[in-house]
Amino acid sequence: MEELKMSTKNFSTDLIIGDGSFGLVYKAKLFNGSTVAIKKLDPDAFQGFREFRAEMETLGKLRHQNIVKILGYCVSGLERVLILEFVERGSLDQWIHDTSSTNNEPSVAGTMGYMPPEYKEGAAATVRVDVYSFGILMFEVATAERPNLPKVMEGKEVWLIEWARKMLGQNRHMEMLDSNTPKEGLSEDEVKEYFRIASLCTEEFRGRPAMSEVVGLLKKLSS
């Protein structure tokens, strides 16, 4: 922990590069010269302990070129710190929303915006959770709206998934699309099918399709 404190200048705000819902993410250079991302969970956030365990269980087992690698962790008293691979070219959030990032500017990550209702109730990380998250990502890509920031609809604030369900219920599929998306050549039926697939992914736990089924539906849509 002492090395991590020194590498982050005692977790200086100048080194914050992201907000992971239950803790901040810092850019740091370890004593061996390697540049890493340090995620320090908020010790006062009860759910942060569960997220720490979930990330250890999932990221610790994964090795994929498009998924950040977990390099290690540190536990000291109530403090929980994850040492992650530093992604030089930024996060998925930055690519979707075309935002820039510097060492002095936080990048909003909004992890909880992708989490299903059962996760908040203490459910473990499962493939069904991943399907839900993928559905949220589908909405995010098509609408350019952030899952972790509320929107105003009918005079009150709602989250992306609530807004999307209401818009779809009112048959306002085309209005949901990112205003920067070229509309020429777009098939309204294909747009509806895209959002139908995203909606399936974000159903209640037992109603979600397997990821293989989702892939099949998307392949059929793109053929």
Side-chain angles (χ1 to χ4, degrees):
M1 184 62 74
E2 288 305 313
E3 178 180 350
L4 297 180
K5 287 181 178 179
M6 293 181 67
S7 299
T8 57
K9 299 178 183 177
N10 199 24
F11 299 102
S12 169
T13 56
D14 291 339
L15 296 176
I16 294 174
I17 56 172
D19 179 355
S21 294
F22 294 119
L24 298 173
V25 183
Y26 303 80
K27 181 178 181 181
K29 191 169 185 178
L30 300 181
F31 291 176
N32 64 7
S34 59
T35 300
V36 297
I38 303 294
K39 182 173 183 179
K40 184 176 184 292
L41 300 184
D42 183 353
D44 295 325
F46 170 76
Q47 293 196 51
F49 291 96
R50 199 172 69 239
E51 180 169 281
F52 178 85
R53 184 179 62 190
E55 292 199 30
M56 289 294 297
E57 292 174 352
T58 53
L59 291 181
K61 298 175 184 177
L62 295 175
R63 288 294 181 268
H64 189 281
Q65 61 180 0
N66 295 327
I67 299 178
V68 65
K69 297 180 181 68
I70 183 169
L71 306 176
Y73 66 94
C74 184
V75 177
S76 178
L78 293 178
E79 293 186 302
R80 301 288 188 275
V81 178
L82 294 171
I83 299 97
L84 305 167
E85 174 188 23
F86 178 74
V87 182
E88 194 67 46
R89 292 181 292 173
S91 67
L92 177 62
D93 180 87
Q94 292 162 18
W95 282 96
I96 293 175
H97 300 288
D98 192 26
T99 58
S100 60
S101 175
T102 66
N103 288 353
N104 299 314
E105 182 178 324
S107 164
V108 178
T111 308
M112 285 308 294
Y114 301 91
M115 294 297 119
E118 73 268 12
Y119 186 81
K120 298 175 184 178
E121 302 300 324
T126 67
V127 290
R128 297 286 183 177
V129 169
D130 294 336
V131 171
Y132 181 94
S133 300
F134 184 76
I136 295 294
L137 179 62
M138 286 183 66
F139 280 122
E140 183 179 9
V141 168
T143 65
E145 299 288 350
R146 295 180 185 271
N148 62 317
L149 296 180
K151 289 177 61 62
V152 176
M153 188 180 196
E154 298 173 356
K156 65 177 183 179
E157 290 188 344
V158 295
W159 299 105
L160 173 61
I161 185 61
E162 299 173 76
W163 171 79
R165 286 171 178 163
K166 288 185 177 182
M167 291 289 284
L168 292 174
Q170 296 170 11
N171 203 35
R172 297 166 67 183
H173 301 74
M174 302 303 288
E175 291 180 51
M176 293 172 62
L177 295 175
D178 178 10
S179 59
N180 294 317
T181 301
K183 303 302 189 295
E184 297 79 10
L186 270 183
S187 164
E188 186 170 347
D189 287 341
E190 290 181 350
V191 172
K192 286 184 177 181
E193 177 61 11
Y194 176 91
F195 283 129
R196 187 185 76 84
I197 297 170
S199 297
L200 283 175
C201 292
T202 54
E203 287 284 351
E204 293 298 322
F205 183 83
R206 297 185 183 279
R208 287 173 215 152
M211 199 64 213
S212 57
E213 184 180 344
V214 176
V215 172
L217 289 171
L218 289 174
K219 283 184 176 179
K220 184 178 179 180
L221 178 62
S222 63
S223 62

